[in-house]
Amino acid sequence: MGAEKEYKQRSANEIDYVQVTESKSFKKLMHDRKKFIVPLTIFFLVFYFLLPILTSYTTFLNTPAIGDISWVWLFALAQFIMTWVLCTVYVKKAAVFDKQADEIIREMEEGGDEQ
């Protein structure tokens, strides 16, 4: 824990954050994050709100799918599965973003990035 605190203090003293935000690599990182997060968020919200909308305004999900199990139960189960899958995908992609951020810090410590 002490080494992390020392690293953060040392980095804060050496890095010009305005220069970081204007660098090509930082802009690429932000673009990549947005390109990943926005579609994932839209998919999640549509899939999440589709269940209450379909159950309120249609009767399709009330029909049996497998024996006495209706489509609404399968859809609700799929929401739990979808949440775990999206969480796993996000965690793996966040590790890639963390590596990009570390590379940006390393570039700035070594003398900056060309505009």
Side-chain angles (χ1 to χ4, degrees):
M1 185 73 169
E4 180 182 343
K5 186 176 180 181
E6 178 184 326
Y7 172 77
K8 287 181 180 177
Q9 287 176 345
R10 181 176 52 86
S11 296
N13 294 335
E14 297 175 3
I15 297 174
D16 178 14
Y17 290 102
V18 173
Q19 182 183 5
V20 171
T21 59
E22 294 173 355
S23 70
K24 289 179 186 177
S25 51
F26 181 78
K27 289 178 182 177
K28 181 182 181 330
L29 170 64
M30 297 310 292
H31 174 73
D32 291 347
R33 284 184 60 212
K34 185 185 290 186
K35 189 175 163 185
F36 174 72
I37 290 173
V38 169
L40 207 66
T41 303
I42 291 169
F43 170 75
F44 174 80
L45 290 173
V46 167
F47 195 78
Y48 179 79
F49 285 112
L50 203 55
L51 179 62
I53 290 169
L54 288 177
T55 55
S56 296
Y57 299 108
T58 69
T59 58
F60 166 74
L61 292 178
N62 294 334
T63 59
I66 305 169
D68 289 335
I69 300 172
S70 65
W71 286 105
V72 72
W73 286 102
L74 294 177
F75 196 101
L77 178 64
Q79 286 190 334
F80 283 99
I81 295 168
M82 181 260 320
T83 301
W84 283 101
V85 168
L86 290 182
C87 182
T88 303
V89 168
Y90 177 79
V91 167
K92 290 180 187 274
K93 191 67 174 178
V96 174
F97 295 143
D98 288 345
K99 287 179 185 176
Q100 283 180 296
D102 290 341
E103 183 61 33
I104 292 168
I105 292 170
R106 202 169 9 266
E107 285 176 7
M108 292 301 146
E109 287 177 340
E110 293 173 357
D113 184 35
E114 299 87 33
Q115 296 286 325

